[in-house]
Amino acid sequence: MADYDYDLFTIGAGSGGVRASRVAAAHGARVAVAEEYRVGGTCVIRGCVPKKMLVYGAHFAEDLEDAKHFGWDVGERKFDWKKLRDNVLGDVDRLNGLYKQTLENNNVEVFHERATITGPNEITLGSGEKKTAKYILIATGARPHVPTCPGHEYGITSNEAFHLDAIPRRVLIAGAGYIANEFAGIFHQFGAKVTLMNRSDQMLRGYDESVRDRLLQISLMKGIDFRFNANFEKIEKQEDGSLLVFMSNHEPLNVDYVLFATGRVPNVEGLGLEDVGVSVNERGAIQVDGNSRTSVPSIYAVGDVTDRVQLTPVAIREGQAFADTVFGNKPTTLDYSCIPSAVFSHPPIAGVGLTEAQAMQQYGTVKVYTSDFRPMKNVVAHRNERSLYKMICDEPTGKILGIHMIGPDAPEIMQVAAVAVKAGLTKADFDATVAIHPTMSEELVLLK
Ligand code: NDP
């Protein structure tokens, strides 16, 4: 190993890259990381973390409204976007500092510049300096995909959404996936008129249909508009600075902002992959084997740049498995089954395992248990929003194949329920567990 400058050179200090680097260093490797933007990556700097803080902030709109029914006189209500924005960005700075410190504490050397792979064991930094490493790890993540049409440059993405000067009066969100539904809830609660448009007639593909339908119903009830089967034709900037959006199958729409939330594409450009022989698939993602190894034996890749499952905890696990396998003498392969996930919409949804449609396709017949209820808090608050929990079981054995839910705290409840599904528990195991009353999660052990 002494022939190389480092044992590991990681490109990209996001969730996967930081975990891999710090664990490899803890296993005794000499590690360096190149990061051209900010240490922490999308999740910490302009994704999950600041988004969740905005979701908390947005929820106060309903909480303060509901408070009246619980006897509180909250007086005049005013929302100060800049205050929330700056507090959130301040906390992002704090986390960025902690991530940097983690690398420092583990003696990981950080280069704040772009890196290009110029050989199976060689990296050239933006400064022109060359470094060598026994292994190279690509953890460059992904970036928002923006569909092209005349005027698409007037739109923004989630990257910019955290930095706005003001909450738009009217916003069109393109896409109907995770980011679209999360920001629809955020902007709506902050008082914007929100319209979601999607190219297909579905939202949140991959989630259970009944749960998606419930979110659509509740969103419509709250006043969010939807335009399905809509493709951009052009976006025209008006004299007053607003945007006039022309789309197929619908009337033009005048808005202040267009937010593109139309998927994310792997960051592979300019890495030198073609020159060194690293293969990418038809979606432009780096191809890897079960150990995150690319077509070049000394080069590995983890996280969104491999487009396996675009979720932070998965990237972290991939980074950990890589470091344990290559530097920790502990070969680890990731099990991608039963990965729970959540959408922090208003209300949130969460799921683990097979949807009803997937289970029907795989198993032929399945037994589905549902609970469709109005949470106690919503009853007192006169809020006409019902939750829906759904458990899908194998017919003869009762083994739980999937759980899906929409309602307050669904992601918190799902994290624990996912342990049971992952462990292969049955409906009978849930039935044998005594309820905690009164809770929403008790519905899971009372399903009939
Ligand atoms: P999603 O994949 O969730 O949704 C993409 C949406 O954009 C879909 O509605 C899709 O339509 C549409 N779309 C895709 N490509 C095009 C295109 N070329 N033109 C027009 N529309 C298009 O992506 P997001 O951008 O919302 O999020 C990216 C990823 O980040 C997610 O997949 C998720 O893995 C991760 N993420 C996770 C979060 C969480 O865990 N809570 C939060 C935010 C992001 P159609 O349905 O027709 O395909």
Side-chain angles (χ1 to χ4, degrees):
M1 287 215 181
D3 295 336
Y4 299 105
D5 298 330
Y6 302 99
D7 301 319
L8 172 66
F9 197 105
T10 302
I11 308 179
S15 300
V18 168
R19 173 60 67 96
S21 302
R22 125 168 130 63
V23 175
H27 286 315
R30 295 165 303 142
V31 185
V33 181
E35 170 58 60
E36 63 177 342
Y37 186 53
R38 300 184 71 187
V39 172
T42 300
C43 176
V44 173
I45 306 294
R46 47 193 181 189
C48 334
V49 172
K51 178 276 313 285
K52 184 75 184 279
M53 293 177 191
L54 293 187
V55 169
Y56 280 132
H59 217 279
F60 279 100
E62 289 184 353
D63 293 340
L64 291 170
E65 184 61 30
D66 293 352
K68 289 191 297 200
H69 299 283
F70 290 87
W72 291 92
D73 177 0
V74 289
E76 195 199 349
R77 280 174 271 154
K78 264 185 11 211
F79 171 64
D80 183 344
W81 159 250
K82 286 187 175 161
K83 189 169 208 167
L84 174 63
R85 179 198 64 188
D86 294 347
N87 284 346
V88 168
L89 295 178
D91 210 58
V92 166
D93 289 345
R94 183 183 65 84
L95 291 168
N96 170 239
L98 287 178
Y99 269 71
K100 285 202 277 202
Q101 211 175 347
T102 299
L103 292 177
E104 255 170 48
N105 291 348
N106 285 280
N107 299 318
V108 175
E109 196 173 345
V110 182
F111 295 96
H112 292 283
E113 50 193 314
R114 199 171 167 75
T116 307
I117 303 172
T118 42
N121 303 93
E122 186 188 78
I123 278 114
T124 302
L125 294 169
S127 61
E129 205 180 336
K130 290 191 188 301
K131 300 284 176 193
T132 58
K134 182 162 192 212
Y135 296 106
I136 295 171
L137 177 68
I138 306 169
T140 47
R143 64 179 184 283
H145 159 74
V146 175
T148 44
C149 74
H152 71 259
E153 66 276 11
Y154 298 127
I156 61 167
T157 68
S158 53
N159 288 350
E160 292 77 43
F162 298 104
H163 299 269
L164 297 180
D165 284 333
I167 290 295
R169 205 160 51 82
R170 302 155 302 177
V171 59
L172 173 67
I173 303 183
Y178 282 82
I179 297 177
N181 279 285
E182 291 179 345
F183 272 99
I186 291 168
F187 283 135
H188 171 75
Q189 300 290 336
F190 290 150
K193 174 67 202 161
V194 177
T195 306
L196 244 85
M197 69 173 266
N198 201 28
R199 60 179 178 181
S200 66
D201 60 356
Q202 285 183 15
M203 59 187 233
L204 287 169
R205 213 151 29 88
Y207 276 89
D208 191 84
E209 200 176 337
S210 338
V211 167
R212 290 192 271 141
D213 280 352
R214 180 60 55 90
L215 180 63
L216 180 61
Q217 276 170 28
I218 294 176
S219 300
L220 285 166
M221 206 167 68
K222 285 183 194 286
I224 296 173
D225 284 341
F226 287 83
R227 292 185 172 196
F228 289 112
N229 298 311
N231 279 298
F232 283 98
E233 286 168 351
K234 62 178 172 176
I235 304 175
E236 281 179 356
K237 189 145 197 155
Q238 306 297 289
E239 272 180 16
D240 63 358
S242 68
L243 302 173
L244 190 59
V245 184
F246 294 81
M247 60 189 89
S248 56
N249 299 318
H250 298 270
E251 289 297 304
L253 187 69
N254 191 217
V255 291
D256 304 304
Y257 275 105
V258 172
L259 170 69
F260 290 108
T262 40
R264 296 176 64 83
V265 289
N267 284 326
V268 291
E269 291 77 9
L271 282 173
L273 301 185
E274 317 76 36
D275 297 339
V276 84
V278 171
S279 309
V280 296
N281 66 19
E282 65 293 346
R283 295 190 312 279
I286 295 179
Q287 272 180 322
V288 287
D289 66 13
N291 287 317
S292 296
R293 194 176 216 156
T294 71
S295 48
V296 177
S298 57
I299 303 178
Y300 288 70
V302 296
D304 286 0
V305 75
T306 63
D307 199 16
R308 285 173 281 187
V309 180
Q310 286 187 344
L311 294 174
T312 298
V314 175
I316 291 173
R317 292 269 172 133
E318 287 169 355
Q320 176 89 38
F322 157 77
D324 285 343
T325 303
V326 176
F327 298 103
N329 199 21
K330 192 175 142 199
T332 312
T333 41
L334 226 65
D335 173 7
Y336 289 89
S337 66
C338 273
I339 295 174
S341 62
V343 185
F344 294 93
S345 42
H346 282 76
I349 71 181
V352 66
L354 301 179
T355 63
E356 183 177 350
Q358 290 165 340
M360 286 292 284
Q361 206 163 24
Q362 276 189 38
Y363 287 77
T365 52
V366 287
K367 179 93 179 135
V368 179
Y369 300 89
T370 54
S371 175
D372 187 337
F373 63 100
R374 200 166 159 209
M376 186 191 275
K377 188 166 169 238
N378 285 354
V379 176
V380 179
H382 298 185
R383 185 169 287 286
N384 192 19
E385 263 180 50
R386 297 182 70 83
S387 295
L388 180 67
Y389 290 7
K390 200 164 161 182
M391 183 185 278
I392 294 131
C393 300
D394 179 31
E395 181 73 269
T397 63
K399 185 178 170 205
I400 302 167
L401 305 174
I403 298 181
H404 307 277
M405 49 172 71
I406 176 167
D409 298 331
E412 302 289 343
I413 299 166
M414 182 56 73
Q415 180 67 81
V416 183
V419 177
V421 181
K422 179 84 184 157
L425 298 192
T426 62
K427 168 78 167 57
D429 292 316
F430 271 63
D431 293 345
T433 307
V434 173
I436 300 175
H437 184 71
T439 60
M440 292 177 288
S441 47
E442 70 179 307
E443 295 298 325
L444 284 177
V445 297
L446 300 172
L447 288 167
K448 290 279 172 290

